[in-house]
């Protein structure tokens, strides 16, 4: 500690000591704000004299800040690739789902992830989770709007005797709403989103939803669901709003413009984005007809918080938010708060299942595919893991992800380099890149909805 300076009040730690201490604190308290981290630092090191300003500066320079604003959209990597940036969710209570994992902040480039807090055995259920919002696959959405499956949880309603209709479609003089629900509970829970997406309560939302359906644009549908949830939460007492808003703001993001630069054919074109934004504003902000305006005003009596207006109803923010949806949606179209923290790797140790098909189709079960040791990161695969590295990377590119740096890819990259320097070993290296694991194909089919 040669660089420390003694002051009259205590010791001013060196930059490196302070950085180390703050990194440790951040990994122990991934969701604390700057002032609380600062307080924890002083509690851990009572002999130190450090100003909050200095703590803030280091947290910022080390990428350890939980941002509550817009922040940079992504961090640039090598070769001009952009990596999704993610923020820690302040005050996230993992205990509601599981005690087996915790959130860890790795570094600026990698962002956050989940690690095991205790040893988890192969086949074990790690947690079950219901979606924050659901924008289901289009064949299921078709069923929903034909009253064949629950508008809230998407479970089939065939043969159920407890089915409830949208309460508003019973009032006279309104457009008939097709929404049906498993039971009164699903109907009640749908109040967090449905009123703003209901053709009877907010007819201005219909063109937006139809457009998303016609384009089979899941991210747009998901953004409509998220927007409905945030705007309705802002009508309440503030507590639900703060929580919901934190979830949306903390989702990993990559702007649509950046995605567009990387992703050639996977996204609709710019004119389509503009049209989508226009319908989005009409649905939630400025309906074109007076009668629709009146209905929307009945649902949104309190003014929308300025922060929300800035983050949702601005074209750039809209594109960024679409990117957030694409990055964080589960394969079936649900956005799950804890699940959205799991990073990708080409040799996953965790898989996502939809086991509760008869009771809650949208509920996911996170299952260990392998034994997972304490502090080991939980990873899932976003792509078909069977083909060789270049093909996996191509799939990842289509999702807008950067270069995969998982252990398997790193190993295969080394093997490929060897192959280049030693031509005759070609055959053995190709063999090493052959499919791994017999259940992976099944796994993938399940995760993409081919049951
Ligand atoms: Zn239901
Ligand atoms: Zn309705
Ligand atoms: Zn990989």
């Amino acid at each position: 500690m040669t660089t420390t300076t003694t002051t009259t009040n205590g010791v001013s730690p060196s930059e490196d000591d302070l950085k180390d201490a703050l990194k440790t604190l951040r990994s122990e308290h991934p969701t604390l704000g700057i002032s609380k981290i600062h307080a924890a630092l002083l509690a851990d090191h009572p002999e130190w004299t450090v100003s909050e300003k200095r703590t803030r500066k280091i947290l910022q320079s080390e990428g350890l800040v939980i941002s509550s604003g817009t922040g940079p959209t992504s961090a640039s990597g090598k070769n001009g690739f952009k990596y999704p940036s993610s923020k820690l969710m302040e005050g996230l209570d993992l205990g509601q789902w599981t005690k087996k994992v915790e959130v860890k902040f790795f570094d600026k480039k990698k962002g956050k992830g989940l690690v095991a807090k205790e040893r988890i055995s192969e086949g074990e259920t790690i947690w079950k989770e219901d979606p924050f919002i659901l924008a289901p696959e289009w064949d299921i959405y078709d069923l929903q709007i034909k009253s064949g499956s629950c508008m809230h949880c998407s479970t089939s309603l065939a043969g159920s005797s407890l089915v409830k209709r949208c309460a508003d479609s019973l009032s006279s003089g309104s457009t008939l709403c097709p929404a049906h629900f498993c039971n009164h509970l699903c109907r009640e829970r749908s109040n967090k989103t449905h009123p703003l997406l209901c053709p009877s309560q907010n007819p201005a939302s219909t063109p937006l939803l139809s457009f998303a359906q016609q384009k089979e644009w899941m991210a747009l549908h998901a953004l409509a669901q998220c927007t409905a949830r945030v705007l309705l939460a802002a009508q309440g007492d503030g507590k639900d709003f703060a929580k919901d808003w934190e979830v949306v703001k903390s989702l990993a993001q990559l702007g649509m413009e950046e995605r567009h630069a990387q992703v050639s054919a996977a996204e609709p074109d710019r004119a389509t984005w503009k049209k989508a934004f226009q319908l989005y504003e009409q649905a939630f902000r400025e309906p074109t007809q007076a009668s629709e305006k009146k209905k929307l005003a009945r649902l949104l009596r309190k003014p929308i918080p300025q922060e929300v207006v800035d983050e949702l109803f601005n074209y750039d923010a809209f594109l960024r938010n679409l990117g957030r949806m694409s990055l964080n949606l589960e394969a079936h179209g649900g956005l799950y708060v804890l699940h959205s923290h799991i990073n990708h790797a080409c040799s996953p140790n965790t898989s996502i299942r939809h086991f509760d098909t008869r009771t809650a189709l949208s509920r996911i079960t996170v299952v260990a595919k392998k034994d997972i040791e304490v502090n080991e990161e939980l990873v899932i695969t976003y792509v078909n893991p069977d083909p060789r590295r270049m093909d996996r990377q191509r799939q990842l590119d289509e999702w807008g992800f950067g270069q995969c740096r998982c252990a398997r890819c790193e190993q295969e990259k080394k093997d490929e380099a060897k192959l280049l320097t030693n031509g005759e070993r070609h055959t053995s290296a190709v063999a090493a890149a052959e499919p791994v694991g017999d259940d992976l194909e099944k796994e993938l089919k399940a995760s993409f909805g081919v049951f």
Side-chain angles (χ1 to χ4, degrees):
M1 285 223 233
T2 48
T3 51
T4 50
T5 332
T6 307
T7 69
T8 43
N9 298 321
V11 180
S12 178
S14 73
E15 201 78 353
D16 285 345
D17 289 346
L18 188 53
K19 271 183 195 169
D20 287 346
L22 287 173
K23 275 182 195 161
T24 308
L25 276 169
R26 172 51 84 213
S27 63
E28 286 166 359
H29 308 284
T31 59
L32 285 189
I34 292 176
S35 341
K36 285 182 183 161
I37 283 275
H38 182 66
L41 175 81
L42 297 183
D44 279 4
H45 302 274
E47 75 284 7
W48 283 3
T49 303
V50 180
S51 67
E52 186 171 329
K53 199 174 154 194
R54 194 171 166 208
T55 297
R56 176 187 304 273
K57 235 178 104 184
I58 292 196
L59 287 172
Q60 282 167 345
S61 67
E62 295 298 299
L64 299 171
V65 180
I66 306 167
S67 168
S68 55
T70 47
T73 52
S74 64
S76 291
K78 273 185 203 157
N79 312 324
F81 269 112
K82 305 274 188 175
Y83 295 90
S85 72
S86 60
K87 299 178 194 100
L88 293 159
M89 245 169 246
E90 199 152 358
L92 178 66
D93 171 25
L94 268 69
Q96 59 184 305
W97 296 289
T98 178
K99 304 225 175 324
K100 295 173 187 171
V101 302
E102 61 188 349
V103 178
K104 181 175 171 185
F105 188 85
F106 292 94
D107 55 48
K108 210 171 180 174
K109 187 179 281 177
K110 181 164 176 174
K112 64 195 173 190
L114 290 183
V115 295
K117 258 168 82 177
E118 55 183 69
R119 195 177 182 282
I120 300 168
S121 309
E122 181 179 341
E124 201 175 319
T125 291
I126 312 176
W127 77 88
K128 284 179 175 256
E129 184 173 8
D130 286 314
F132 178 75
I133 56 95
L134 182 67
E137 291 151 294
W138 297 108
D139 50 349
I140 291 178
Y141 181 71
D142 278 347
L143 278 176
Q144 283 184 320
I145 60 175
K146 286 176 187 149
S147 315
S149 75
C150 177
M151 190 57 92
H152 177 65
C153 74
S154 76
T155 306
S156 165
L157 298 174
S160 170
S161 56
L162 301 166
V163 173
K164 297 276 181 239
R165 303 182 59 170
C166 167
D168 201 71
S169 65
L170 302 177
S171 64
S172 59
S174 48
T175 323
L176 196 68
C177 170
H180 281 62
F181 303 92
C182 297
N183 47 44
H184 74 275
L185 212 69
C186 274
R187 183 165 77 184
E188 205 178 297
R189 287 176 177 151
S190 79
N191 282 333
K192 285 183 186 233
T193 51
H194 182 67
L196 277 175
L197 305 168
C198 172
S200 160
Q201 296 171 73
N202 182 24
S205 67
T206 304
L208 173 69
L209 294 173
S210 308
F211 185 73
Q213 184 190 16
Q214 179 207 330
K215 301 276 177 195
E216 302 208 334
W217 194 355
M218 203 185 251
L220 182 61
H221 185 200
L223 184 56
Q225 294 277 349
C226 270
T227 304
R229 177 151 179 170
V230 165
L231 296 183
L232 288 171
Q235 296 299 304
D237 62 5
K239 242 176 91 188
D240 280 348
F241 168 70
K243 265 200 214 159
D244 287 0
W245 188 228
E246 184 65 25
V247 167
V248 174
K249 279 189 308 181
S250 308
L251 293 169
Q253 57 176 317
L254 190 70
M256 283 297 267
E257 288 291 345
E258 291 159 60
R259 280 170 68 79
H260 194 70
Q262 274 183 41
V263 182
S264 44
E267 305 289 350
D269 57 36
R270 251 158 257 238
T272 310
W273 297 346
K274 284 256 157 71
K275 174 76 181 163
F277 182 59
Q278 189 195 352
L279 294 174
Y280 178 77
E281 283 203 300
Q282 284 170 11
F284 300 116
R285 286 269 284 167
E286 279 295 319
T288 46
Q289 292 176 31
S291 62
E292 292 176 345
K293 260 187 199 144
K294 232 167 148 182
K295 286 199 163 190
L296 181 61
R298 221 175 283 156
L299 293 171
L300 304 179
R301 288 170 196 274
K302 288 190 195 172
I304 303 171
Q306 190 55 44
E307 191 192 353
V308 175
V309 173
D310 295 343
E311 277 292 299
L312 295 182
F313 300 107
N314 153 311
Y315 185 59
D316 288 339
F318 172 74
L319 296 184
R320 205 160 54 225
N321 290 333
L322 283 173
R324 270 177 174 163
M325 297 299 123
S326 300
L327 273 178
N328 290 281
L329 282 176
E330 198 267 327
H332 289 278
L335 195 60
Y336 301 82
V337 175
L338 192 52
H339 159 272
S340 72
H341 288 71
I342 313 179
N343 289 315
H344 162 86
C346 297
S347 309
N349 56 14
T350 306
S351 73
I352 307 299
R353 303 295 179 82
H354 290 256
F355 283 144
D356 302 80
T357 50
R358 304 301 309 161
T359 50
L361 182 62
S362 60
R363 179 173 300 156
I364 52 169
T365 303
V366 180
V367 183
K369 281 175 67 69
K370 299 172 183 169
D371 291 342
I372 303 172
E373 302 302 327
V374 176
N375 286 328
E376 194 180 330
E377 186 182 3
L378 272 63
V379 281
I380 47 175
T381 180
Y382 299 162
V383 298
N384 181 350
D386 283 349
R388 71 183 70 171
R389 191 182 69 82
M390 298 300 246
D391 295 326
R392 297 199 304 273
Q393 186 59 54
R394 207 164 301 131
Q395 293 180 63
L396 284 169
D397 289 344
E398 281 168 18
W399 283 72
F401 285 93
Q403 200 92 52
C404 185
R405 291 197 161 75
C406 76
R408 189 178 152 206
C409 282
E410 293 298 313
Q411 183 56 48
E412 287 180 20
K413 251 186 262 176
K414 278 184 206 154
D415 294 345
E416 287 160 18
K418 259 190 230 157
L419 184 91
L420 280 177
T421 52
N422 193 353
E424 63 266 32
R425 288 173 68 190
H426 181 88
T427 41
S428 64
V430 168
E434 295 265 285
V436 295
D438 46 14
D439 64 336
L440 285 174
E441 194 191 336
K442 244 187 288 161
E443 185 64 40
L444 197 84
K445 278 190 178 146
S447 75
F448 282 106
V450 191
F451 289 104

